[in-house]
Amino acid sequence: MSEHDTSKSPSAFRTAEPDYRWQGVECRPYKEDDRALFKAVTRQVLFSDQNLAGELRYFEVAPGGFSTLERHAHVHGVMIFRGAGHCLVGDEVRAVGERDLVSIPPMTWHQFRATGASPLGFLCLVDAVRDRPQLPTADDLAALEADPAIAAFLRGAPAPAG
Ligand code: MN
C-alpha cells in the first residue's frame, strides 16, 4: 500500500492544532436538528468508529451562546474542557469550569450556556446509536421556569456562583 493511498484507515495519531482544533477533524456548526433552538455552537467528532459503542465529541459554545435545551433516553458523560459557563441538569443550575464533570441522566432536561466572556468547550461522550432528542413543550418550559434559578438561567442571566 502506497503512503498516499487515501483508502487506508485514518492515522492513529491526530495532532492538536491551535484554538481547540484537531488534525483531520472537521469543525462544523452544530445543527443536528432543524427544530432545535441553539446559538453559536460548533461540533467536532473526535472519536467515532464502528468498533466503538460510543462517540466522543468536542462542542464549543461562543460567549453568549447556548446548546439546545433537550432531553432523551441516552445519557451524556461531559467534561468541561475550555473556559466556563453554566449548566442546567434536571432542576439544578450550576456554574461549571475546566475539568468539571457533568453526568446527564436519561430523560433529564439539560443545557449548556457560555455565560462569561470566554467560550465554553466541553467533551461529550455519547452512545453511537441513540434516540432523537425531545424538545420542551410550552408546558414543559412553564414548569422549568417556575423555578427562579432555572428561569434566570434560561434568560441567560444565571445567579453568580456562590
Ligand atoms: Mn443532549
Side-chain angles (χ1 to χ4, degrees), residues 61-65 80-87 94-98 100 112-121:
V61 185
I80 307 301
F81 195 68
R82 178 184 192 183
H86 285 77
C87 179
R94 288 278 287 267
V96 292
E98 287 175 12
D100 286 344
F112 292 85
R113 286 180 172 265
T115 46
S118 62
L120 174 65

Side-chain angles (χ1 to χ4, degrees), residues 70 72 74 76 110 133:
E70 63 180 27
H72 35 65
H74 62 272
H76 293 310
H110 57 282

Side-chain angles (χ1 to χ4, degrees), residues 2-3 8 24 31 44 55 58 69 73 85 105 111-112 115 139:
S2 128
E3 204 178 324
K8 70 179 180 182
K31 198 171 184 192
Q44 298 177 76
E55 293 181 349
Y58 176 67
L69 175 62
Q111 186 175 54
F112 292 85
T115 46
D139 285 350

Side-chain angles (χ1 to χ4, degrees):
M1 192 186 292
S2 128
E3 204 178 324
H4 302 289
D5 183 348
T6 54
S7 69
K8 70 179 180 182
S9 301
S11 170
F13 298 94
R14 291 171 293 157
T15 307
E17 295 180 343
D19 202 26
Y20 295 80
R21 301 291 182 89
W22 289 268
Q23 182 183 37
V25 176
E26 198 176 353
C27 183
R28 290 186 166 172
Y30 177 69
K31 198 171 184 192
E32 211 163 57
D33 186 331
D34 288 337
R35 304 166 303 158
L37 178 65
F38 61 91
K39 183 181 173 190
V41 185
T42 58
R43 175 173 58 167
Q44 298 177 76
V45 179
L46 304 182
F47 295 99
S48 179
D49 186 300
Q50 60 181 1
N51 298 306
L52 275 175
E55 293 181 349
L56 185 65
R57 301 90 52 85
Y58 176 67
F59 292 93
E60 198 167 279
V61 185
F66 49 87
S67 67
T68 303
L69 175 62
E70 63 180 27
R71 67 180 180 183
H72 35 65
H74 62 272
V75 304
H76 293 310
V78 171
M79 177 186 279
I80 307 301
F81 195 68
R82 178 184 192 183
H86 285 77
C87 179
L88 167 70
V89 181
D91 58 5
E92 190 171 9
V93 174
R94 288 278 287 267
V96 292
E98 287 175 12
R99 300 182 301 284
D100 286 344
L101 303 176
V102 184
S103 297
I104 315 283
M107 297 309 293
T108 302
W109 296 115
H110 57 282
Q111 186 175 54
F112 292 85
R113 286 180 172 265
T115 46
S118 62
L120 174 65
F122 56 92
L123 297 166
C124 179
L125 181 64
V126 71
D127 288 345
V129 177
R130 55 190 180 269
D131 61 316
R132 196 175 188 206
Q134 297 175 8
L135 304 178
T137 64
D139 285 350
D140 292 329
L141 271 179
L144 286 164
E145 286 168 348
D147 180 319
I150 296 177
F153 170 85
L154 294 173
R155 284 196 309 270

